[in-house]
Amino acid sequence: VVAFIEFSHFFDPLLVWIGFGVATFLLLPYNLTIERRRTFEAQARAELELRAAHDMQMGLMPKEDPIVKGFEISGACIPASEVGGDFYDYVWLDSKKTKLGIALADVSGKAMKAAMTAVMTSGMLYSEAQRNQSPRQILARINQPLYLRSDKRVFTALSFAVIDTKTKRLTYSSAGQSHPVLLRNGTLTYIKTQGVRLPLGVKEELDYRDVKVKLRSGDSIVFYTDGVPEAMKADGSLYGFERFEQLLKRNSIVASKQLRDAIVGDVKTFTGNVEQHDDMTVVVVKVK
């Protein structure tokens, strides 16, 4: 107590402050180095996770367009700067390759959580497709395990279409995915399903519906995720459905790959240099 009260009697305050200053000067670079190293390590771990998630997401996508007699099919997924959960895929439902399944998925969330859910969804999709079921049955059977096993804050918007290449009939079902567009003789029609359209994983029991469309020569069907109409430019305005529809009508007779590229290119022209905030996936089917 005496030493505390009469501090200056025992120690020269100036020497104490000088010692404190010297210690701070000597130790500060060390502390900064430790803090920088921790920050660097955290950033490196985050970048490694993003890279792994990106590789997982890209690994789900087809490496090339499928060759299907009587049809032209072309798809693309343009990932955002932050890894999301978009993916698309093609799967044959029969050994004779007469029924082609086309899947488009958009998993909510980012990075590894979205990528893992996308991988799990893709695996279930392949498993159920081998049973040669209707799209609505496939969606319903995938929904229950996703609800039980995935994070309750993560949902999967998934559409599944089956094209019978012999009869040229399209059977389509959707779990919260954007309505595909049918282009026929210069006119545009949205293919809409009735009943439940909730994404997979929202409720344990969901009963989806199918819609059937008889395709004709010259028809084009455009499947897309919400990254297309919800693309945003610097002033906050959205690409929107009106501009999307006008583009489709102007390009209604072009080949599938040309139409796919026209959609992606027009969205990028609209957004300019603004960083892409959501994945953008497009699949175009053209009936020869």
Side-chain angles (χ1 to χ4, degrees):
V1 173
V2 173
F4 178 76
I5 296 174
E6 302 294 339
F7 183 78
S8 61
H9 291 179
F10 296 92
F11 304 99
D12 186 343
L14 179 61
L15 293 177
V16 173
W17 282 110
I18 290 174
F20 178 75
V22 170
T24 301
F25 178 77
L26 293 175
L27 293 175
L28 184 59
Y30 173 76
N31 291 331
L32 288 176
T33 300
I34 294 296
E35 188 63 30
R36 285 172 182 165
R37 188 175 70 180
R38 289 173 180 168
T39 302
F40 176 79
E41 290 174 349
Q43 290 175 341
R45 285 195 298 271
E47 290 175 2
L48 186 63
E49 179 179 320
L50 284 174
R51 172 53 56 185
H54 176 271
D55 292 344
M56 290 171 64
Q57 182 187 12
M58 292 298 101
L60 298 175
M61 251 75 76
K63 300 299 185 289
E64 56 188 16
D65 295 332
I67 298 175
V68 182
K69 185 178 180 180
F71 295 85
E72 293 176 0
I73 302 175
S74 188
C77 177
I78 315 300
S81 54
E82 260 192 275
V83 177
D86 268 25
F87 75 88
Y88 73 99
D89 206 355
Y90 312 116
V91 54
W92 289 103
L93 274 68
D94 61 333
S95 59
K96 294 182 179 180
K97 294 189 175 181
T98 62
K99 294 181 180 180
L100 177 67
I102 301 175
L104 259 76
D106 182 1
V107 181
S108 65
K110 301 293 182 183
M112 188 58 73
K113 184 177 291 186
M116 290 296 294
T117 303
V119 170
M120 183 165 58
T121 303
S122 176
M124 293 178 184
L125 181 66
Y126 265 90
S127 176
E128 294 301 331
Q130 304 310 311
R131 300 173 184 265
N132 198 13
Q133 305 170 97
S134 70
R136 63 183 291 266
Q137 290 174 315
I138 291 173
L139 294 184
R141 290 182 66 88
I142 293 175
N143 172 70
Q144 189 173 38
L146 276 180
Y147 175 81
L148 295 173
R149 297 183 182 183
S150 62
D151 190 316
K152 294 300 179 287
R153 295 166 294 181
V154 177
F155 308 121
T156 303
L158 175 66
S159 67
F160 194 68
V162 176
I163 296 176
D164 189 318
T165 60
K166 286 188 174 182
T167 63
K168 286 187 167 56
R169 183 178 295 276
L170 171 76
T171 306
Y172 174 80
S173 188
S174 174
Q177 194 56 272
S178 303
H179 300 304
V181 176
L182 171 64
L183 287 168
R184 174 176 291 169
N185 298 326
T187 62
L188 182 152
T189 306
Y190 287 97
I191 302 174
K192 299 181 180 181
T193 57
Q194 301 298 317
V196 175
R197 291 193 66 252
L198 292 173
L200 302 177
V202 175
K203 295 174 64 177
E204 186 173 2
E205 297 291 339
L206 289 173
D207 186 17
Y208 296 102
R209 292 287 181 267
D210 286 336
V211 59
K212 298 180 185 295
V213 179
K214 178 64 176 177
L215 301 176
R216 303 175 187 171
S217 296
D219 286 353
S220 291
I221 306 96
V222 182
F223 303 93
Y224 57 94
T225 56
D226 59 8
V228 174
E230 294 179 5
M232 188 181 300
K233 62 194 304 187
D235 63 4
S237 57
L238 299 179
Y239 182 77
F241 285 98
E242 183 177 352
R243 177 164 176 154
F244 183 46
E245 292 170 4
Q246 291 173 355
L247 173 76
L248 295 179
K249 289 178 180 179
R250 290 197 307 269
N251 295 271
S252 61
I253 62 173
V254 302
S256 60
K257 188 173 182 179
Q258 289 177 285
L259 181 52
R260 180 204 70 183
D261 293 343
I263 296 169
V264 173
D266 195 53
V267 172
K268 289 186 175 181
T269 298
F270 175 81
T271 56
N273 295 324
V274 176
E275 188 175 273
Q276 186 179 336
H277 73 281
D278 194 8
D279 293 351
M280 178 170 55
T281 304
V282 178
V283 175
V284 179
V285 178
K286 181 86 173 180
V287 184
K288 292 182 179 179

